[in-house]
Amino acid sequence: MAIKIFVSHAAADEKLASALVDCIFSCMVLEDEEVRCTSVPGHKLPIGGDSSTILRDELSETGVVIGLLTQNSIVSSWVLFELGATWGARKNLQPLLADNVDYSDIPGPLAGCHAGKLAEKNDLVQFFEELRKVVGAKARSSAKIDSAISQLVKANSEYSKISLTPKPPTKVKAKSDIPDPTISGMKFSELKKILEKEKIVIPPPHSGSEEEVDSDLLTLFLGNHTTLCDGLQSNWDSESAGGFLYREVGLKLIPYDLVKFDKLPAAQAKFFKRLIMSPNGQKFVAHFKRLRASE
């Protein structure tokens, strides 16, 4: 059976890709074999086949390629290959942007493609209606479609809270008319340099590729400060993005008093700890944003 929809995505975005596939099947009537999404059970490549050959053939035959664009996928060589091949073959390409990607981040020639936002319900309503018409599928009930799209918006929101490959923060310089505040016993500018120098290696699949990616404590702190406001928990799966953030970012921020352990109810404190942003952490982020806004 021919592939009608091909979902191009980074392996690190498996959960978001799975939510997208669920939404596709909740919006229109399709057979499992008509959707290819290599990270999602039921839609993976056949065992024993040559991956490169199969992907090349399916990309040439598929009706629509959905580009799931995240901070992971826009630096993935495989995703860029798939999307570039689709664009070059003048195939129907429909990009979807996660919250942590801006229109300006869309790579190369794809920058001219109109892209939908996973955070915008109206975008998704239009996206799935157009997708359904292109592949010639029958629509599900309006109520089911509305519920499915709401679930995808929610999944995107949860996904975007954690980003292990955020863009490096914009370089900001001290301003003569903006005081350099003292944070955690040292000047902001000094603390910023210390965090920049503390390197962190992000392993696959969190790196968004098959190789490790070099980052630093400052980038990961600023890129995930909203997540830190909600809290990182010690009992999260060590292999998950949240578990990695707790160990490799949260714990390393403690000496600088940028995070602190939350006071948990006794019943919870027996089983896990939670790291949250400290007042000094909030002060650091606020000053960084102030400097960036003044650029």
Side-chain angles (χ1 to χ4, degrees), residues 202-213 239:
I202 304 173
H206 302 313
S207 62
S209 68
E210 296 180 355
E211 299 179 353
E212 296 177 339
V213 170
E239 299 299 319

Side-chain angles (χ1 to χ4, degrees), residues 67 69 94-97 103 106 110-117 123 127:
L69 300 183
Q94 298 193 8
L96 281 176
L97 306 186
Y103 290 107
I106 299 178
L110 304 182
C113 296
H114 176 67
K117 296 281 287 184
D123 278 11
F127 174 85

Side-chain angles (χ1 to χ4, degrees), residues 93-234:
L93 174 61
Q94 298 193 8
L96 281 176
L97 306 186
D99 277 358
N100 58 7
V101 176
D102 297 321
Y103 290 107
S104 60
D105 295 324
I106 299 178
L110 304 182
C113 296
H114 176 67
K117 296 281 287 184
L118 283 168
E120 299 294 333
K121 191 170 183 178
N122 288 337
D123 278 11
L124 293 177
V125 170
Q126 177 183 345
F127 174 85
F128 285 109
E129 177 61 17
E130 292 176 355
L131 179 65
R132 183 188 66 79
K133 290 180 179 179
V134 170
V135 300
K138 181 181 177 181
R140 303 280 187 182
S141 69
S142 297
K144 188 165 187 176
I145 292 173
D146 183 73
S147 176
I149 289 177
S150 294
Q151 287 299 313
L152 180 56
V153 171
K154 181 179 179 181
N156 169 67
S157 177
E158 290 298 317
Y159 162 83
S160 297
K161 287 181 180 179
I162 295 178
S163 176
L164 289 182
T165 53
K167 293 183 294 184
T170 305
K171 296 292 184 181
V172 295
K173 298 179 180 179
K175 301 285 184 177
S176 58
D177 58 335
I178 300 179
D180 192 10
T182 298
I183 299 174
S184 302
M186 66 183 79
K187 292 296 184 180
F188 168 87
S189 56
E190 296 175 5
L191 180 54
K192 175 176 169 290
K193 289 179 181 179
I194 291 173
L195 298 180
E196 282 179 317
K197 290 180 179 179
E198 186 152 352
K199 302 303 179 182
I200 296 176
V201 176
I202 304 173
H206 302 313
S207 62
S209 68
E210 296 180 355
E211 299 179 353
E212 296 177 339
V213 170
D214 293 328
S215 188
D216 59 76
L217 193 53
L218 177 68
T219 297
L220 291 171
F221 172 48
L222 292 173
N224 292 282
H225 69 274
T226 54
T227 301
L228 282 163
C229 288
D230 293 333
L232 300 173
Q233 295 185 184
S234 62

Side-chain angles (χ1 to χ4, degrees), residues 9-145:
H9 67 291
D13 299 327
E14 177 183 347
K15 289 186 178 180
L16 187 59
S18 181
L20 173 58
V21 170
D22 286 344
C23 193
I24 291 172
F25 280 95
S26 294
C27 289
M28 62 195 77
V29 180
L30 290 167
E31 298 294 331
D32 287 347
E33 296 80 6
E34 293 178 317
V35 175
R36 174 69 70 218
C37 188
T38 55
S39 294
V40 179
H43 309 284
K44 295 184 176 183
L45 295 172
I47 295 175
D50 182 79
S51 299
S52 299
T53 300
I54 294 173
L55 288 174
R56 182 185 61 211
D57 292 343
E58 290 185 345
L59 280 170
S60 66
E61 297 172 358
T62 190
V64 180
V65 174
I66 299 175
L68 185 56
L69 300 183
T70 68
Q71 284 296 323
N72 293 321
S73 65
I74 61 176
V75 295
S76 166
S77 57
W78 268 109
V79 172
L80 295 179
F81 162 75
E82 292 168 355
L83 298 183
T86 302
W87 179 84
R90 299 181 182 275
K91 303 287 290 185
N92 193 318
L93 174 61
Q94 298 193 8
L96 281 176
L97 306 186
D99 277 358
N100 58 7
V101 176
D102 297 321
Y103 290 107
S104 60
D105 295 324
I106 299 178
L110 304 182
C113 296
H114 176 67
K117 296 281 287 184
L118 283 168
E120 299 294 333
K121 191 170 183 178
N122 288 337
D123 278 11
L124 293 177
V125 170
Q126 177 183 345
F127 174 85
F128 285 109
E129 177 61 17
E130 292 176 355
L131 179 65
R132 183 188 66 79
K133 290 180 179 179
V134 170
V135 300
K138 181 181 177 181
R140 303 280 187 182
S141 69
S142 297
K144 188 165 187 176
I145 292 173

